[in-house]
Amino acid sequence: MKDDCTRVLKGAAVAILATCSLGLLVGCQGVSAGGSGGQQQTGALSISSATLNLGSAVVGSSTSVTGTLTASGASVAVTGASTNNSAFTIGGLSLPTTIPAGSSTSFTVTFAPKAVGNVNGTLTFSSNGQPSTTTAALTGSGTSAPTHSVSLSWNASTSANVDGYNVYRAAYASACGSFSKINSLLTTSTLYTDATVVDGTSYCYATTAVDTSNQESAYSNIVSNVQIPAQ
């Protein structure tokens, strides 16, 4: 009888050990899987444009553009913003700030040239994203104060939801050349002064209306052969 009990107990012990061993393996696998899934994802920060063109500004004055920062993958904490050229300054953004994944926030860059000529710079944002710095090129042109200017006025658009107006200019020879927009920001009034004309040159002018959906109308009536005195 004693031998029979010993054999039974030994057999039971083997069975228990086997069961515990299996349970430990399952438990270890669960811990391993949980640790891998807990890794934190790193977000990325992007700027709306690789190059921000500030256009031209008379020395002693300034012009501004708006850009957008977007976070992707995970939220990004933006901790710093700078430029390497004092002619460009950053505004419209309170730092530090956290941008949730898939969301955006805006900023402004102001260009105030200190001399005549082309000006270049680099805009840099620092963050906890990958990479830790995000950059964009900055360009602008400083111009001298003009001797003459052209004052423009037009009738307000009768279309619904008009948000403002754009002003276009073309060089004039025997006819109007290609038109280019000369206002950096949407003009909300029906008055505009073109202070970037060149002495001794003739121009054509036209305006367009822009609604709240950013839809732009065709050109208004065109004013041709506006002559700028040579001196």
Side-chain angles (χ1 to χ4, degrees):
M1 292 295 294
K2 183 178 180 180
D3 290 340
D4 291 339
C5 289
T6 301
R7 285 195 295 271
V8 171
L9 288 173
K10 286 182 178 179
V14 171
I16 291 171
L17 288 173
T19 303
C20 289
S21 176
L22 180 60
L24 289 172
L25 288 173
V26 172
C28 290
Q29 289 173 350
V31 171
S32 175
S36 176
Q39 292 180 353
Q40 187 175 1
Q41 187 175 3
T42 302
L45 187 68
S46 61
I47 303 176
S48 52
S49 178
T51 300
L52 297 175
N53 188 344
L54 280 292
S56 61
V58 174
V59 174
S61 67
S62 64
T63 183
S64 300
V65 298
T66 300
T68 302
L69 289 173
T70 302
S72 59
S75 62
V76 176
V78 184
T79 55
S82 62
T83 70
N84 64 350
N85 190 319
S86 60
F88 301 98
T89 55
I90 307 168
L93 185 65
S94 180
L95 297 177
T97 185
T98 298
I99 306 174
S103 298
S104 300
T105 190
S106 62
F107 63 90
T108 60
V109 178
T110 299
F111 172 52
K114 297 174 174 58
V116 174
N118 294 328
V119 184
N120 298 301
T122 300
L123 170 66
T124 301
F125 288 99
S126 303
S127 71
N128 67 344
Q130 183 60 39
S132 60
T133 58
T134 307
T135 63
L138 300 172
T139 63
S141 177
T143 59
S144 58
T147 306
H148 302 284
S149 62
V150 176
S151 296
L152 303 169
S153 63
W154 56 91
N155 295 327
S157 172
T158 57
S159 299
N161 301 320
V162 171
D163 197 31
Y165 304 91
N166 284 325
V167 181
Y168 290 83
R169 184 183 70 191
Y172 179 87
S174 56
C176 298
S178 298
F179 281 91
S180 298
K181 188 174 70 171
I182 58 175
N183 57 307
S184 57
L185 299 175
L186 203 62
T187 299
T188 55
S189 73
T190 57
L191 301 172
Y192 186 83
T193 299
D194 180 10
T196 61
V197 294
V198 177
D199 294 350
T201 305
S202 296
Y203 296 102
C204 300
Y205 290 93
T207 60
T208 61
V210 181
D211 66 15
T212 53
S213 299
N214 205 34
Q215 298 296 310
E216 189 170 15
S217 72
Y219 290 149
S220 66
N221 61 301
I222 296 173
V223 179
S224 301
N225 195 19
V226 177
Q227 298 179 7
I228 310 302
Q231 293 183 354

